[in-house]
């Protein structure tokens, strides 16, 4: 039996947006206090804010869509691939994307919630707790930026003659740096978390190459927003990024583009 595609209606959108905002409030409750920093097995930082946002999102999604499972960064170790490989529809969640930026208190961290259907990020919400700005959208749906009660639709822009290229604030890698060096005269913009995808969707950036490690919850919501605005997130073979298709939740390298006509393959070292 083929499962009907989910209808991403105004009620579902409003529900996910409310959940993201509740998670942001939970994060800010910790951000404004003295908090401890622990470290996971991969040496990535973990704070009470990550866990508070995780609990808030998981409980909120369970109420909103009780039949859709959740793959969250903070509980992914509890779910085997044997379990999730049969999930044709799931939420992929990073309760606090950019914990290193959170610890630095620079504001460049987000809440990421993405709905995945048959591997495709069909809808995503990215919430920036400090500024309160929220982005949401998906391929074929459009994309929007919400500043308080004000909302406006986003559309990517054609590439500038002097491109603005995103680099990770805390996760630079040699191959990404080498790729950027081959672009010639560009403006390099360092930015944390999934804010890079949102800046592409807004037309503020042209390109975001990433060859260092990321996980599916780092990219899914941002990809949905960017594709809703007309951009693309491609693997190094030029295929759209897909989710929950492999045993690992680690992504390979990717190129995020506002203008899909850019000749990005010419700048690869392969």
């Amino acid at each position: 039996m083929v499962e009907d595609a989910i209808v991403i209606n105004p009620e579902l959108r409003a529900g996910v947006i409310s959940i993201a905002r509740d998670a942001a409030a939970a994060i800010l409750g910790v951000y404004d206090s003295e908090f401890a920093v622990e470290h996971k097995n991969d040496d990535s930082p973990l704070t009470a804010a990550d866990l508070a946002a995780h609990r808030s999102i998981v409980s909120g999604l369970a109420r909103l869509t009780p039949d859709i499972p959740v793959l969250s960064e903070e509980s992914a170790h509890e779910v085997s691939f044997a379990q999730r490989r049969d999930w044709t529809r799931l939420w992929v969640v990073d309760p606090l994307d950019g914990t290193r930026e959170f610890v630095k208190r620079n504001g460049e961290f987000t809440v990421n919630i993405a709905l995945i259907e048959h591997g495709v990020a069909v809808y995503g919400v990215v919430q920036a707790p400090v500024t309160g700005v929220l982005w949401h959208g998906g391929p074929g749906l459009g994309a929007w930026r919400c500043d308080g009660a004000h909302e406006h639709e986003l559309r990517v822009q054609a590439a500038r003659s002097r491109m603005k290229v995103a680099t990770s604030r805390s996760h630079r890698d040699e191959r990404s740096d080498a790729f950027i060096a081959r672009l010639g005269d560009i403006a390099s913009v360092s930015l944390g978390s999934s804010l890079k995808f949102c800046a592409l969707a807004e037309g503020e950036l042209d390109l975001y190459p990433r060859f260092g490690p990321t996980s599916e919850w780092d990219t899914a919501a941002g990809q949905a927003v960017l594709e809703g605005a007309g951009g693309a997130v491609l693997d190094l073979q030029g295929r759209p990024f897909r989710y929950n298709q492999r045993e690992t939740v680690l992504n390979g390298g990717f190129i995020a583009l506002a203008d899909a006509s850019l000749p990005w393959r010419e700048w690869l070292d392969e």
Side-chain angles (χ1 to χ4, degrees):
M1 179 177 175
V2 178
E3 187 178 36
D4 291 337
I6 192 168
V7 177
I8 304 170
N9 56 34
E11 291 75 22
L12 180 63
R13 296 187 200 192
V16 183
I17 287 170
S18 177
I19 289 168
R21 286 175 169 158
D22 287 346
I27 288 169
L28 291 179
V30 178
Y31 192 61
D32 295 332
S33 68
E34 292 299 322
F35 55 83
V37 180
E38 301 176 17
H39 286 84
K40 304 178 193 177
N41 291 337
D42 63 358
D43 203 37
S44 60
L46 177 69
T47 71
D50 298 81
L51 300 176
H54 165 76
R55 290 190 291 267
S56 178
I57 293 168
V58 170
S59 63
L61 290 175
R63 292 190 298 271
L64 181 67
T65 54
D67 296 329
I68 302 179
V70 178
L71 182 68
S72 168
E73 177 178 11
E74 303 312 334
S75 59
H77 62 281
E78 301 170 6
V79 183
S80 69
F81 182 59
Q83 291 175 273
R84 63 181 175 82
R85 67 182 170 189
D86 294 325
W87 294 354
T88 56
R89 181 181 297 151
L90 69 153
W91 295 103
V92 172
V93 171
D94 193 336
L96 202 173
D97 181 27
T99 303
R100 285 183 171 84
E101 316 311 325
F102 177 88
V103 171
K104 295 174 186 175
R105 298 184 189 270
N106 66 13
E108 293 181 4
F109 51 89
T110 58
V111 174
N112 298 344
I113 304 175
L115 180 60
I116 308 300
E117 187 148 32
H118 297 288
V120 178
V122 296
Y123 181 67
V125 174
V126 177
Q127 167 78 59
V130 170
T131 63
V133 177
L134 180 143
W135 299 262
H136 69 108
L141 300 174
W144 296 266
R145 170 178 168 141
C146 304
D147 294 85
H150 176 68
E151 180 176 86
H152 69 271
E153 192 165 3
L154 303 177
R155 196 68 192 167
V156 295
Q157 302 297 314
R160 299 163 180 80
S161 55
R162 183 173 186 259
M163 289 190 298
K164 296 180 73 173
V165 180
T167 61
S168 177
R169 176 75 74 187
S170 297
H171 298 276
R172 298 291 291 267
D173 65 276
E174 291 183 4
R175 190 176 179 193
S176 297
D177 287 344
F179 178 92
I180 291 169
R182 286 191 289 274
L183 301 180
D185 182 25
I186 57 99
S188 178
V189 180
S190 293
L191 197 59
S193 70
S194 56
L195 292 172
K196 296 180 281 293
F197 295 101
C198 299
L200 283 162
E202 290 186 348
E204 296 299 318
L205 295 172
D206 298 299
L207 182 67
Y208 169 35
R210 182 66 182 268
F211 302 99
T214 58
S215 296
E216 294 190 357
W217 43 75
D218 295 317
T219 58
Q223 177 176 358
V225 171
L226 177 55
E227 290 186 347
V233 180
L234 306 174
D235 69 17
L236 302 186
Q237 286 71 49
R239 300 169 299 197
F241 241 39
R242 294 294 179 255
Y243 297 91
N244 197 43
Q245 305 293 294
R246 301 170 299 144
E247 184 167 359
T248 180
V249 293
L250 294 176
N251 293 324
F254 64 83
I255 308 291
L257 303 148
D259 183 349
S261 70
L262 280 172
W264 59 270
R265 293 174 185 270
E266 297 177 7
W267 302 319
L268 289 176
D269 58 358
E270 299 176 336

